[in-house]
Amino acid sequence: MTLDRRQAMGRIIGIAGTVAGTALIGPKAMATEGCSGDSQIGIGSGGGGDLGQNLLTYVQLDPMKVANRAYAGYGRGGCMYGVFDAIVQELAAQGHEDACQFAAIPTNIAAYGGGGIAGWGTLCGCLNATAMAVNVLGGVDRAAVIRSVYRYYEKTPMPRGDAAFLEAIGAPTYKDDGGALLTPDKVGQSVANSILCHTSVSLWSKASKYGSSHNAKFERCAQVTAEIAYITVKYLNESLAGTLNAETQSPDNASCMGCHASSKAEPEAYISTDVASQMECKTCHSPHDVEAGLTGIHEGATCNDCH
């Protein structure tokens, strides 16, 4: 049996939605007004060569419009879908030379990332989406944007919760058990100290006193989805303009990486553990004086203090 491109993409979209267990009722994944239904995405290596070739042109977007799309998208398909769909659909709506290629991307493929990938609690879906979207864009420093967004997520109290941002994205929409909207004073804030979904949500739950299946968690994650979409576009715009100067990793890491940076050591010259990571070291690892028992930093701590 042979399938044309439209049928094949339809099957991919259906499979993605089924795997994620989510009903997606988003904008058309295959086309926008003025685009052929058979538009080719036109990215990738074509079976060989430089994977960084044939990228799609990034044009400046309004971060708030993307955040608004992302907040709504969370309700349809979760955090990863919300961020990915918002960026792709807004680029498709710009009417520039690659608009139809963006319109041809089946954004439903991002639905798997909710809950840290099918509820597994690993990489936050918002960050997964950022990397996937940025990775197909030309004209920007992709690695710098991705690392900047990841560091923002790791260190920033979220969700931001200011009135202007909430009004712009149409939040809040979720309600508590008494039928009242979950306003910022109820949802609260927390710092993830990690890029992992389970750490981020657990620390928020501890701070807010809401369970992770409560509507407050869904409101919180919808707002975080909008915030990460916003900050991704902000950094993309800055990279396009050549002004991106965001923090890409914790300054505290420098003291650790003096001994633990990635190296080409072989057994004869191996001295200390190599670490290949941009993540903040002290989120999980104690300084050596603590490990030696000089300070009781973990005294009285519970798993939830870090995880």
Side-chain angles (χ1 to χ4, degrees), residues 36-244:
S36 164
D38 293 322
S39 293
Q40 296 294 313
I41 299 173
I43 56 177
S45 65
D50 185 353
L51 293 177
Q53 296 298 309
N54 304 317
L55 299 172
L56 301 182
T57 302
Y58 178 75
V59 295
Q60 183 168 313
L61 299 178
D62 181 339
M64 204 64 86
K65 286 185 178 180
V66 178
N68 179 278
R69 283 184 184 266
Y71 182 80
Y74 175 85
R76 293 194 303 272
C79 54
M80 184 174 178
Y81 171 80
V83 172
F84 186 72
D85 179 76
I87 294 171
V88 170
Q89 293 292 345
E90 194 64 24
L91 283 165
Q94 299 308 302
H96 62 103
E97 62 184 25
D98 285 342
C100 289
Q101 280 84 349
F102 283 112
I105 296 174
T107 59
N108 303 51
I109 62 173
Y112 72 86
I117 305 180
W120 202 248
T122 62
L123 179 63
C124 172
C126 299
L127 300 180
N128 203 336
T130 289
M132 188 159 74
V134 171
N135 191 55
V136 303
L137 302 177
V140 295
D141 186 334
R142 299 188 301 280
V145 172
I146 292 168
R147 289 175 177 177
S148 298
V149 175
Y150 279 40
R151 177 59 182 154
Y152 177 94
Y153 184 98
E154 188 179 53
K155 72 173 184 176
T156 306
M158 295 189 293
R160 54 188 288 177
D162 62 272
F165 187 77
L166 294 181
E167 182 179 0
I169 66 173
T173 55
Y174 291 86
K175 298 179 179 180
D176 63 20
D177 294 343
L181 287 171
L182 285 157
T183 50
D185 59 302
K186 297 176 182 178
V187 173
Q189 288 183 320
S190 60
V191 179
N193 290 322
S194 171
I195 59 172
L196 299 180
C197 169
H198 84 271
T199 309
S200 178
V201 172
S202 295
L203 291 179
W204 169 81
S205 182
K206 183 176 182 179
S208 69
K209 310 302 182 189
Y210 282 109
S212 61
S213 293
H214 192 278
N215 269 350
K217 182 266 184 186
F218 302 127
E219 181 62 51
R220 176 261 184 189
C221 286
Q223 291 184 28
V224 169
T225 298
E227 185 169 347
I228 293 303
Y230 177 94
I231 206 67
T232 298
V233 171
K234 177 179 182 293
Y235 289 159
L236 281 167
N237 289 345
E238 290 174 1
S239 182
L240 188 66
T243 60
L244 178 61

Side-chain angles (χ1 to χ4, degrees), residues 243-256:
T243 60
L244 178 61
N245 190 31
E247 192 175 277
T248 58
Q249 64 174 312
S250 171
D252 293 341
N253 282 11
S255 60
C256 302

